[in-house]
Amino acid sequence: MSATARKTAPLPDDIRARKGGAPLVSLTAYTTPMAQMIDAHCDFVLVGDSVGMVLHGLPSTLGVTMEMMILHGQAVKRGLTRAMMVVDMPFGSYEEGPQQAFRNAARLMAETGAGAVKLEGGVAMAETIGFLVARGIPVMAHIGLTPQSINTLGGYKVQGRGAAGDRLMADARAVAEAGAFAVVLEKVPQGLADRVTSELPIPTIGIGASAGCDGQILVVDDMLGLFTAFKPKFVKRYATLGEEAEAAIAEYAREVRERRFPAAEHVFADTVPGQTS
């Protein structure tokens, strides 16, 4: 069923069941107004830790906190009626072990109303994924380029080329076997992404991967041209709203300085027409 035809939000099992079917559509959101705009068009909406860079001006996702994710998750949830909401677990909230991950994932879901959490990592996180799933917390996995590991990956590089492809396949199998209902493949060579998609029993969600993935996700501010600090190769700009907004702000400033705003239609008369004082 398409996102536009659906009346209620899907569950993680519904997303899993879309494996090999019509492509899943997803975008990030961090605010209520944006969530309202994309709700009818997305199968699931991700409250990504990319919020740290996009809205808070941080140099990476590493400084994002649980409190930030909860605040933005609550805001996004208020704007959704049709799409499932997935919330990122921020750096440092789950890597210590399964028990720490459960405490923080349970808090995220309870305080935001999320349908699932997403965490980064493959083989190393398989035990944690299994622990969460066994205790009622649906998990979306994320492998390939994992931004929270940027300091050990040596930058925002393509992951899985050459011999590294076998390691990425092992990560993919591990998260699927652990019980993840879907997996994000970020910045992975097209051929490898297609191989993972064909071999895994759960949906693959591409971001810089392949059109052959079971679904796609982008940072909404990237595809709308609102975030312009940099543009990854895998981003297609469907609009240039940042440029349009800047032009509108410049026009407003000019009209204020020229005393052309507010005009007569924007101010109030001393008396109401037809009434006497």
Side-chain angles (χ1 to χ4, degrees), residues 194-206:
D194 289 339
R195 179 185 168 199
V196 172
T197 300
S198 67
E199 294 189 17
L200 245 57
I202 60 174
T204 56
I205 311 299

Side-chain angles (χ1 to χ4, degrees), residues 47-263:
V47 184
D49 58 359
S50 49
V51 66
M53 302 173 72
V54 173
L55 293 190
H56 293 272
L58 298 177
S60 73
T61 62
L62 300 183
V64 174
T65 65
M66 281 285 294
E67 288 68 29
M68 290 166 68
M69 296 308 302
I70 290 170
L71 177 68
H72 289 284
Q74 291 170 340
V76 169
K77 184 63 176 177
R78 295 184 194 109
L80 299 179
T81 59
R82 298 182 183 183
M84 183 179 76
M85 184 175 78
V86 180
V87 178
D88 264 342
M89 298 195 70
F91 177 68
S93 69
Y94 61 94
E95 293 90 341
E96 185 178 339
Q99 289 78 14
Q100 179 209 28
F102 177 79
R103 287 193 299 272
N104 286 318
R107 182 185 173 197
L108 278 176
M109 293 190 68
E111 296 189 29
T112 68
V117 298
K118 181 171 76 65
L119 57 80
E120 298 180 6
V123 172
M125 285 296 117
E127 179 186 0
T128 293
I129 292 171
F131 189 90
L132 295 181
V133 172
R135 287 156 180 80
I137 297 179
V139 177
M140 178 176 289
H142 183 156
I143 62 174
L145 175 63
T146 48
Q148 293 176 7
S149 302
I150 198 64
N151 289 326
T152 56
L153 292 177
Y156 295 96
K157 301 175 181 178
V158 174
Q159 302 295 310
R161 283 181 172 147
D166 290 337
R167 292 194 296 272
L168 192 137
M169 277 302 311
D171 284 336
R173 294 189 186 102
V175 299
E177 291 169 3
F181 68 90
V183 58
V184 172
L185 304 179
E186 181 168 357
K187 216 164 184 181
V188 172
Q190 180 177 357
L192 179 59
D194 289 339
R195 179 185 168 199
V196 172
T197 300
S198 67
E199 294 189 17
L200 245 57
I202 60 174
T204 56
I205 311 299
I207 177 167
S210 169
C213 289
D214 296 296
Q216 302 294 327
I217 187 168
L218 283 175
V219 172
V220 70
D221 296 70
D222 284 343
M223 58 88 71
L224 291 178
L226 288 167
F227 181 75
T228 57
F230 59 87
K231 177 184 173 295
K233 172 184 171 63
F234 55 75
V235 170
K236 176 178 178 179
R237 288 246 166 93
Y238 287 82
T240 54
L241 299 190
E243 293 178 8
E244 294 177 31
E246 187 173 356
I249 293 165
E251 183 178 0
Y252 161 75
R254 184 169 56 255
E255 289 191 359
V256 168
R257 294 187 177 106
E258 294 172 354
R259 296 191 183 280
R260 293 194 292 120
F261 177 84

